[in-house]
Amino acid sequence: MNILLTASEVTPFAKTGGLADVAGALPGELRRLGHDVRIFMPLYRCIKKREFNLRPVEELPPIAVGGVNRTGKVWQGHLHGVPVYFLEQDDFFDREGLYGTSRNDYPDNAERFGYLARALLTALPRIGFRPDILHLNDWQTGLVPALLRSDWAGDSFYGDTATLTTIHNLGYQGLFPAETVSSLKLDPALFAMEGLEYYGQVSFLKSGLVFADLLTTVSETYCAEIQTPQMGHGFDGILRSRSDRLFGVLNGIDAQLWDPRNDTALPACYDADDLAGKRQNKRRLQMELGLQCDADKPLVAMVTRLAGQKGLDLVEQAWDGLLKRGVQMAILGSGDQDFMDRFAALGVQSPEQAAVRLGFDDGLARLIYAGSDMFLMPSRYEPCGLGQLIALRYGSVPVVRKTGGLADTVFDPTDEADRANGFTFSEISASAMLEALDRALVLYRDSEGWLRLLRNGMQGDFSWRRSALRYLELYRKAVELHHA
Ligand code: ADP
């Protein structure tokens, strides 16, 4: 099959969260299964042409966006044999952030990602790659199916191209003012309730949900949750109306990229049979963060975007209780300025017991996964969550709220003695979180029981192979539906 995956972030080129990890890992797995898969993404400032050996492949004709004719250029690189096309348009993408600053989104995001969608459809015939399936991800690429139904309707190049939209996070809907229709020169007929209009605004995500042949999201539980009014962010009705075309496919993690046996960012490697290296990593982590060097103190970690979704308010409420329990806290996060300020303030209170580091730091994240004993994710909602999967692999026992993908991957001993690999709680409250943590702390003191649980986690299979096979099945189904 010819598969084109487009996303606004792809590891290792640009990343703010799990979407990048998925977009960076799935194509390689599809290629190993024998398919011609390619990636299309923006060329942001953080992507250095020299570092990734990019070469120019196509100059694009001017595309009118926001009343200005924008020229663009496509560069090509590779990711484990998968061709990656980078869209260069410096007014839009040569910026410090991907979507904005820590305080605000960029005001012209509709134009930036509207341009991305048009440029993609303009570029593919010139490159000569005709996809059987266009795999879109989240709101940033959501406009593509609407354009295929309007400006590109009847275009013979795309006549056989089916579309599949993956929802990585329904909380981000790409909502913009109604004037976006004219500034992006969208067909006015699209601005309707059955189209991309959402309460008087334009939603890029809605375009992806309404017009794609098939929809997926990143876990079974989240797939069910987003069809309820409580967790549907206002889109549950639309999703229920397409429920026969909506499927949950759990993300994997890139088993080579995330491997404690072979992680060059770590001072010591280790595996489930020999955890001596893990103890060294803990010591290094404690030193690096200025925490008291004590092998016996349970070290509880978080590596997270600082956003409301992540249940950070529970951690703030529980803060004194956490410290009273004698655990050490290691938090690495970046995101909303408000949260950054509040967590920075918590971090200076007891520097030998709790460290907060702000910023995006892959190396430190790895040391935290490897050096911590427990990994906290009290998310209000969590489509799949990769943090807990990486933590499992690195022998940091997850303590998580039972929601979305967390519910599908972390199993509590009280629910499932044999499969247990972590601790879960259901209620959104600091006390429920502390109750789960207390159960973890009790087991932590029972070294045999703890090791059993930890090894269960390290040996679990969250590789991409299974998910990639499922995506292929769904790609085929999308093609069938497209021709029906
Ligand atoms: P989300 O996509 O909602 O941010 P996930 O758990 O699915 O959450 O994915 C988060 C990914 O981003 C993980 O790979 C995690 O290690 C990484 N990550 C998050 N915050 C940081 C940070 N501040 N520094 C380094 N890596 C981070």
Side-chain angles (χ1 to χ4, degrees), residues 15-19 21 258 303-305 309-310 332-334 359-362 365 369 377 382 385-387 390:
K15 164 169 170 175
T16 69
L19 165 61
D21 290 332
W258 298 104
V303 175
T304 183
R305 276 188 305 115
Q309 167 204 343
K310 300 294 178 180
L332 169 64
S334 62
F360 196 93
D361 184 338
D362 186 65
Y369 285 116
M377 281 179 86
E382 193 62 72
L386 294 177
I390 301 169

Side-chain angles (χ1 to χ4, degrees), residues 9 11 15-22 168-169 172 218 251 253 258 302-307 309-310 331-335 357-366 369 375 377 379 381-390 406:
E9 48 184 279
T11 299
K15 164 169 170 175
T16 69
L19 165 61
D21 290 332
V22 175
H168 297 265
N169 192 330
Y172 299 86
V218 289
N251 288 334
I253 49 172
W258 298 104
M302 297 181 78
V303 175
T304 183
R305 276 188 305 115
L306 295 176
Q309 167 204 343
K310 300 294 178 180
I331 299 181
L332 169 64
S334 62
R357 294 289 178 274
L358 299 176
F360 196 93
D361 184 338
D362 186 65
L364 180 57
R366 288 170 183 276
Y369 285 116
F375 193 81
M377 281 179 86
S379 308
Y381 72 92
E382 193 62 72
C384 174
L386 294 177
Q388 85 282 13
L389 298 183
I390 301 169
L406 296 172

